[in-house]
Amino acid sequence: MEKAVVMGWITVILLTLVAGTKSENETCRVIGQTGFMEFSKEGDLIIGGVFSISSTRKLVNNDYQALFTVEEINRDTKLLPGATLGYRLYNGIFANTDLYNCLCILNFVCIIHLSTCACLSDKRLYPTFYRTVPSDTFQILGLVQLMKYFDWRWVGIIYTKGLYAEEGVDKFIKVAIEEDICVEYAVKFYKTKNWNTVINTLTASTAKVVLLFMSLSYTKSFLSKMDDYNITGKQWVGSEAWITQTDLASVERKHILQGALGFALPQASIPGLGEYLLKLKPADEPQSTTVRALWEHFFDCSFTPSNTSAMCNGTEDLRTISSEYTDVTHFRTEINVYKAVYSVAYALHVLEHIKYVNFTTPNGAKVFFDENGDSFGRYDLVNWQMKEDGSVEIVNIGLYDTSLPDGDKFQLLDTNIIWGGNNQKVPRSVCREPCPPGSRKAINKRKPVCCFDCFECPEGMISNQTDSPDCMFCPPEFWPNEKKDQCLPKPTEYLSYKEIMGTVLTAFSCIGVFLSLLILIIFMTHKETPIVKANNSELSFLLLFSLKLCFLCSLTFIGRPSQWSCMLRHTAFGITFVLCISCVLGKTIVVLMAFRATLPGSRVMKWFGPLQQRLSVLMFTLVQILICILWLSTKPPFPKMNMMYYNDKIILECALGSAIGFWAVLGYIGLLAVLCFILAFLARKLPDSFNEAKLITFSMLIFCAVWIAFIPAYVSSPGKFTVAVEIFAILASSYGLLICIFVPKCHIIIFRPEQNSRKHMRVKIQARTL
């Protein structure tokens, strides 16, 4: 195969962007002649290379890298055995676009080491294009992951015209939206116009994070203008094009660049390259004007006679100087030249297309190409840590590697980060702080998705997550806490002995029992006296006993409801009250019968003697017992958690089970009470010696009034107050009977004993008959 043919088939176009690396106060000058061959070496196979050399640093980093790589490959006995590589390297300072159009499109295999534009991945336009530098698409994905990792959801962008910046920003915005990251503004920077718009936007914006996506030359122009403005509080994030350029740093820019973050091409070392460069002599490449210019620059000499500089002899030792050009311990962009040359060698070794190569270089770099001709994306996350003198140390703090699994692509390896904007911790950059638990997130259609609204959860609902889209109801037995971020068990409410109301009602119940017992003792002590024996003392004792039971049954309404207490409280109340009213009804009938018995020829008492009185009380009570049995056997009362009356608490109550049963018990008591009241009312004007009817009338009037008032109060009272109303009705009616019927008699027994005699009674009877 002819060398020219081989060279045409495997031509490798190695391009860099036109950029100098000297500080701003130095003049950037072109070294060598553009478009001319600078380096060459004969070999069995010739690699062609074109570099844009705008400074001596580019010469060191690119051309010499290619020379060193070829020499290293030729020394490898396993790679391309029996064949040697040669090269033709040209200086093409403005070659980027021309070479793409004239060579790559003409089916020459092009391996680019520095052009990152995503547009070059289009195989329809560039079918033979490959590159060892990652596409900007990967950088954009990494920048979005960086924003996501630090929860920067509200960012600004400053960029420039041109394919690199415009396509990069468009891609960033699209990917950012997918990750719920919003762009507050994307303003374009021009070197000669539009500056006020940029400054006004920066000043007025609320975004704390600003992405500066532009080339190095535009970045220099931007920062030089920013020197005149004191804009602080911003966390700057840079694009790969400028983030490692230390010559941008200065004391005046510390408030801007301090803490800047960005992704840079990964740093790597190439063993042997330093020694190779330090042994360089002009005689090694006599045709290269670039080497001669480099030598003159390093040693401040000239190869042509000059009145201002000493003559260069070409034997000067590069080891005697120290500059950025001889610092070759670590590389970033240059490693891609190394990988590009090795890609050609490996493709030739197995005689296969470049796109199929998959190998590891001697310095450990993995090389392969995807279907678009792109190598995988790997970046170092770097942090600008500036010193008081304005110098900067570019510190690696993490990485982004697209070859790793999802979730591991972005890694923060060093937490000792200097933050921008004078922040001591990770700056917050959000349009709206996340909606806290207890609220829900609502999208505002008139604002970006990151500028959402937060609404407090409605009553009875919670959200237990940040930025929850919805609030949820608590289970019926639970209620939200004050912050509405968790459901707590609802407090239960019932009439307890421990609370004041329960204690007071219990005290009145016990007092009623005590008074009933005291009166019973008084009556037992004076059971032979006329006032006790009048109107059947047995009924009086039974009434006192039933009143004691009435007072005691009120206690069953106090305390936590249970199955047995619910059944006991209503049935005990119904039966004891019927027993009580039956006794009062019996006494009323006795008063009427006793008066009839005094009439000549009357034999009424024969039909309503003590036996009949006991039977009547038993019969009336048995009817109530029967009603209660029917009630308990069909639908008995049961404990119930009432969650309808209050939202935030549970009422523990006794459900009636059968409302018919409950009202039947009350109705029967009311029927007996009304009957007793009517009979007592009819007997109210009988002679005083027999007249207990007045006291019974008054007591039954109180009884009926209490229970008539009870009905609306019972229906309308909430929670434990329903029980309290029922207990109050029991106690009030019981006290009414006790006081009205027995207290006047006790008053006579204790304080008017002279009136409690047969003689006194006969005198009263005689006075009545006269």
mmCIF file of all heavy atoms in Angstrom, residues 648-676:
data_model
loop_
_atom_site.group_PDB
_atom_site.id
_atom_site.type_symbol
_atom_site.label_atom_id
_atom_site.label_comp_id
_atom_site.label_asym_id
_atom_site.label_seq_id
_atom_site.Cartn_x
_atom_site.Cartn_y
_atom_site.Cartn_z
ATOM 1 N N ASP A 648 -62.600 16.372 66.274
ATOM 2 C CA ASP A 648 -61.281 16.162 66.855
ATOM 3 C C ASP A 648 -61.282 15.284 68.098
ATOM 4 O O ASP A 648 -60.246 15.152 68.752
ATOM 5 C CB ASP A 648 -60.648 17.513 67.194
ATOM 6 C CG ASP A 648 -61.510 18.351 68.119
ATOM 7 O OD1 ASP A 648 -62.690 17.983 68.317
ATOM 8 O OD2 ASP A 648 -61.009 19.354 68.651
ATOM 9 N N LYS A 649 -62.420 14.699 68.468
ATOM 10 C CA LYS A 649 -62.444 13.787 69.611
ATOM 11 C C LYS A 649 -63.575 12.790 69.455
ATOM 12 O O LYS A 649 -64.527 13.004 68.689
ATOM 13 C CB LYS A 649 -62.555 14.551 70.926
ATOM 14 C CG LYS A 649 -63.764 15.460 71.052
ATOM 15 C CD LYS A 649 -63.704 16.249 72.353
ATOM 16 C CE LYS A 649 -64.834 17.264 72.445
ATOM 17 N NZ LYS A 649 -64.770 18.072 73.683
ATOM 18 N N ILE A 650 -63.442 11.712 70.204
ATOM 19 C CA ILE A 650 -64.425 10.626 70.154
ATOM 20 C C ILE A 650 -65.258 10.655 71.432
ATOM 21 O O ILE A 650 -64.705 10.697 72.544
ATOM 22 C CB ILE A 650 -63.723 9.267 70.016
ATOM 23 C CG1 ILE A 650 -62.908 9.210 68.721
ATOM 24 C CG2 ILE A 650 -64.732 8.121 70.052
ATOM 25 C CD1 ILE A 650 -62.061 7.959 68.587
ATOM 26 N N ILE A 651 -66.550 10.643 71.262
ATOM 27 C CA ILE A 651 -67.447 10.580 72.409
ATOM 28 C C ILE A 651 -67.743 9.111 72.688
ATOM 29 O O ILE A 651 -68.314 8.413 71.845
ATOM 30 C CB ILE A 651 -68.763 11.346 72.140
ATOM 31 C CG1 ILE A 651 -68.471 12.796 71.735
ATOM 32 C CG2 ILE A 651 -69.661 11.281 73.359
ATOM 33 C CD1 ILE A 651 -67.741 13.586 72.772
ATOM 34 N N LEU A 652 -67.361 8.652 73.857
ATOM 35 C CA LEU A 652 -67.717 7.301 74.274
ATOM 36 C C LEU A 652 -69.063 7.375 74.969
ATOM 37 O O LEU A 652 -69.206 8.041 76.006
ATOM 38 C CB LEU A 652 -66.654 6.726 75.221
ATOM 39 C CG LEU A 652 -65.250 6.534 74.629
ATOM 40 C CD1 LEU A 652 -64.335 5.911 75.658
ATOM 41 C CD2 LEU A 652 -65.299 5.669 73.386
ATOM 42 N N GLU A 653 -70.030 6.724 74.408
ATOM 43 C CA GLU A 653 -71.383 6.799 74.939
ATOM 44 C C GLU A 653 -72.060 5.450 74.822
ATOM 45 O O GLU A 653 -71.557 4.527 74.188
ATOM 46 C CB GLU A 653 -72.187 7.849 74.181
ATOM 47 C CG GLU A 653 -72.345 7.537 72.692
ATOM 48 C CD GLU A 653 -73.060 8.627 71.925
ATOM 49 O OE1 GLU A 653 -73.204 9.732 72.482
ATOM 50 O OE2 GLU A 653 -73.481 8.382 70.784
ATOM 51 N N CYS A 654 -73.199 5.373 75.464
ATOM 52 C CA CYS A 654 -74.020 4.172 75.361
ATOM 53 C C CYS A 654 -75.109 4.415 74.325
ATOM 54 O O CYS A 654 -75.977 5.271 74.524
ATOM 55 C CB CYS A 654 -74.649 3.823 76.711
ATOM 56 S SG CYS A 654 -73.478 3.143 77.893
ATOM 57 N N ALA A 655 -75.017 3.693 73.238
ATOM 58 C CA ALA A 655 -76.082 3.780 72.239
ATOM 59 C C ALA A 655 -77.315 3.070 72.779
ATOM 60 O O ALA A 655 -77.210 2.074 73.510
ATOM 61 C CB ALA A 655 -75.626 3.156 70.930
ATOM 62 N N LEU A 656 -78.480 3.564 72.430
ATOM 63 C CA LEU A 656 -79.717 3.017 72.985
ATOM 64 C C LEU A 656 -80.009 1.617 72.482
ATOM 65 O O LEU A 656 -80.718 0.841 73.136
ATOM 66 C CB LEU A 656 -80.890 3.946 72.642
ATOM 67 C CG LEU A 656 -80.804 5.353 73.239
ATOM 68 C CD1 LEU A 656 -81.994 6.180 72.759
ATOM 69 C CD2 LEU A 656 -80.773 5.295 74.753
ATOM 70 N N GLY A 657 -79.454 1.269 71.354
ATOM 71 C CA GLY A 657 -79.810 -0.029 70.772
ATOM 72 C C GLY A 657 -81.176 0.075 70.125
ATOM 73 O O GLY A 657 -81.318 0.220 68.920
ATOM 74 N N SER A 658 -82.202 0.022 70.945
ATOM 75 C CA SER A 658 -83.577 0.210 70.466
ATOM 76 C C SER A 658 -84.126 1.491 71.081
ATOM 77 O O SER A 658 -84.315 1.576 72.300
ATOM 78 C CB SER A 658 -84.446 -0.991 70.862
ATOM 79 O OG SER A 658 -85.809 -0.717 70.586
ATOM 80 N N ALA A 659 -84.372 2.483 70.239
ATOM 81 C CA ALA A 659 -84.950 3.732 70.738
ATOM 82 C C ALA A 659 -86.354 3.497 71.288
ATOM 83 O O ALA A 659 -86.781 4.144 72.256
ATOM 84 C CB ALA A 659 -84.983 4.773 69.604
ATOM 85 N N ILE A 660 -87.065 2.519 70.699
ATOM 86 C CA ILE A 660 -88.431 2.203 71.177
ATOM 87 C C ILE A 660 -88.369 1.687 72.616
ATOM 88 O O ILE A 660 -89.181 2.067 73.469
ATOM 89 C CB ILE A 660 -89.091 1.160 70.250
ATOM 90 C CG1 ILE A 660 -89.284 1.753 68.853
ATOM 91 C CG2 ILE A 660 -90.412 0.681 70.835
ATOM 92 C CD1 ILE A 660 -89.822 0.766 67.838
ATOM 93 N N GLY A 661 -87.381 0.836 72.893
ATOM 94 C CA GLY A 661 -87.239 0.319 74.245
ATOM 95 C C GLY A 661 -86.968 1.420 75.248
ATOM 96 O O GLY A 661 -87.544 1.437 76.346
ATOM 97 N N PHE A 662 -86.053 2.356 74.873
ATOM 98 C CA PHE A 662 -85.713 3.451 75.787
ATOM 99 C C PHE A 662 -86.927 4.332 76.064
ATOM 100 O O PHE A 662 -87.235 4.644 77.226
ATOM 101 C CB PHE A 662 -84.581 4.275 75.177
ATOM 102 C CG PHE A 662 -84.228 5.509 75.956
ATOM 103 C CD1 PHE A 662 -83.555 5.406 77.163
ATOM 104 C CD2 PHE A 662 -84.569 6.775 75.486
ATOM 105 C CE1 PHE A 662 -83.229 6.546 77.891
ATOM 106 C CE2 PHE A 662 -84.245 7.910 76.202
ATOM 107 C CZ PHE A 662 -83.575 7.801 77.404
ATOM 108 N N TRP A 663 -87.627 4.722 75.013
ATOM 109 C CA TRP A 663 -88.763 5.620 75.217
ATOM 110 C C TRP A 663 -89.948 4.895 75.832
ATOM 111 O O TRP A 663 -90.787 5.516 76.497
ATOM 112 C CB TRP A 663 -89.159 6.285 73.901
ATOM 113 C CG TRP A 663 -88.108 7.252 73.430
ATOM 114 C CD1 TRP A 663 -87.292 7.119 72.369
ATOM 115 C CD2 TRP A 663 -87.769 8.491 74.052
ATOM 116 N NE1 TRP A 663 -86.444 8.190 72.266
ATOM 117 C CE2 TRP A 663 -86.716 9.056 73.289
ATOM 118 C CE3 TRP A 663 -88.236 9.178 75.173
ATOM 119 C CZ2 TRP A 663 -86.135 10.281 73.604
ATOM 120 C CZ3 TRP A 663 -87.651 10.401 75.495
ATOM 121 C CH2 TRP A 663 -86.606 10.933 74.719
ATOM 122 N N ALA A 664 -90.021 3.577 75.657
ATOM 123 C CA ALA A 664 -91.062 2.803 76.349
ATOM 124 C C ALA A 664 -90.827 2.819 77.852
ATOM 125 O O ALA A 664 -91.781 2.962 78.652
ATOM 126 C CB ALA A 664 -91.080 1.366 75.833
ATOM 127 N N VAL A 665 -89.554 2.678 78.270
ATOM 128 C CA VAL A 665 -89.219 2.742 79.700
ATOM 129 C C VAL A 665 -89.556 4.119 80.251
ATOM 130 O O VAL A 665 -90.206 4.246 81.315
ATOM 131 C CB VAL A 665 -87.720 2.431 79.899
ATOM 132 C CG1 VAL A 665 -87.278 2.783 81.322
ATOM 133 C CG2 VAL A 665 -87.442 0.965 79.628
ATOM 134 N N LEU A 666 -89.130 5.178 79.553
ATOM 135 C CA LEU A 666 -89.427 6.538 80.017
ATOM 136 C C LEU A 666 -90.937 6.812 79.993
ATOM 137 O O LEU A 666 -91.495 7.448 80.902
ATOM 138 C CB LEU A 666 -88.704 7.563 79.147
ATOM 139 C CG LEU A 666 -87.208 7.790 79.410
ATOM 140 C CD1 LEU A 666 -86.706 8.937 78.550
ATOM 141 C CD2 LEU A 666 -86.943 8.093 80.862
ATOM 142 N N GLY A 667 -91.591 6.331 78.931
ATOM 143 C CA GLY A 667 -93.042 6.565 78.819
ATOM 144 C C GLY A 667 -93.827 5.909 79.944
ATOM 145 O O GLY A 667 -94.793 6.495 80.473
ATOM 146 N N TYR A 668 -93.419 4.697 80.310
ATOM 147 C CA TYR A 668 -94.114 4.007 81.396
ATOM 148 C C TYR A 668 -93.921 4.744 82.728
ATOM 149 O O TYR A 668 -94.864 4.894 83.518
ATOM 150 C CB TYR A 668 -93.605 2.572 81.511
ATOM 151 C CG TYR A 668 -94.324 1.746 82.539
ATOM 152 C CD1 TYR A 668 -95.677 1.468 82.408
ATOM 153 C CD2 TYR A 668 -93.656 1.266 83.658
ATOM 154 C CE1 TYR A 668 -96.352 0.704 83.365
ATOM 155 C CE2 TYR A 668 -94.302 0.494 84.614
ATOM 156 C CZ TYR A 668 -95.654 0.225 84.461
ATOM 157 O OH TYR A 668 -96.322 -0.516 85.400
ATOM 158 N N ILE A 669 -92.685 5.232 82.966
ATOM 159 C CA ILE A 669 -92.443 6.027 84.177
ATOM 160 C C ILE A 669 -93.293 7.283 84.153
ATOM 161 O O ILE A 669 -93.919 7.669 85.165
ATOM 162 C CB ILE A 669 -90.941 6.395 84.285
ATOM 163 C CG1 ILE A 669 -90.091 5.140 84.492
ATOM 164 C CG2 ILE A 669 -90.697 7.374 85.428
ATOM 165 C CD1 ILE A 669 -88.592 5.392 84.426
ATOM 166 N N GLY A 670 -93.360 7.932 82.997
ATOM 167 C CA GLY A 670 -94.172 9.154 82.882
ATOM 168 C C GLY A 670 -95.653 8.885 83.098
ATOM 169 O O GLY A 670 -96.350 9.705 83.725
ATOM 170 N N LEU A 671 -96.132 7.745 82.580
ATOM 171 C CA LEU A 671 -97.546 7.392 82.759
ATOM 172 C C LEU A 671 -97.891 7.232 84.233
ATOM 173 O O LEU A 671 -98.888 7.784 84.724
ATOM 174 C CB LEU A 671 -97.852 6.101 81.996
ATOM 175 C CG LEU A 671 -99.282 5.554 82.139
ATOM 176 C CD1 LEU A 671 -100.293 6.538 81.540
ATOM 177 C CD2 LEU A 671 -99.397 4.195 81.447
ATOM 178 N N LEU A 672 -97.038 6.511 84.973
ATOM 179 C CA LEU A 672 -97.279 6.320 86.401
ATOM 180 C C LEU A 672 -97.173 7.643 87.145
ATOM 181 O O LEU A 672 -97.948 7.900 88.094
ATOM 182 C CB LEU A 672 -96.273 5.318 86.970
ATOM 183 C CG LEU A 672 -96.398 3.868 86.480
ATOM 184 C CD1 LEU A 672 -95.350 2.996 87.163
ATOM 185 C CD2 LEU A 672 -97.792 3.320 86.752
ATOM 186 N N ALA A 673 -96.209 8.494 86.728
ATOM 187 C CA ALA A 673 -96.042 9.777 87.404
ATOM 188 C C ALA A 673 -97.258 10.665 87.195
ATOM 189 O O ALA A 673 -97.736 11.323 88.140
ATOM 190 C CB ALA A 673 -94.782 10.465 86.886
ATOM 191 N N VAL A 674 -97.771 10.699 85.979
ATOM 192 C CA VAL A 674 -98.968 11.516 85.700
ATOM 193 C C VAL A 674 -100.165 10.993 86.477
ATOM 194 O O VAL A 674 -100.950 11.772 87.070
ATOM 195 C CB VAL A 674 -99.255 11.524 84.189
ATOM 196 C CG1 VAL A 674 -100.619 12.178 83.910
ATOM 197 C CG2 VAL A 674 -98.152 12.266 83.434
ATOM 198 N N LEU A 675 -100.347 9.667 86.503
ATOM 199 C CA LEU A 675 -101.451 9.070 87.258
ATOM 200 C C LEU A 675 -101.343 9.401 88.742
ATOM 201 O O LEU A 675 -102.334 9.771 89.392
ATOM 202 C CB LEU A 675 -101.438 7.550 87.057
ATOM 203 C CG LEU A 675 -102.520 6.756 87.801
ATOM 204 C CD1 LEU A 675 -103.924 7.209 87.377
ATOM 205 C CD2 LEU A 675 -102.346 5.263 87.572
ATOM 206 N N CYS A 676 -100.126 9.304 89.269
ATOM 207 C CA CYS A 676 -99.896 9.619 90.678
ATOM 208 C C CYS A 676 -100.194 11.088 90.961
ATOM 209 O O CYS A 676 -100.791 11.435 91.994
ATOM 210 C CB CYS A 676 -98.454 9.284 91.039
ATOM 211 S SG CYS A 676 -98.071 9.446 92.780
#
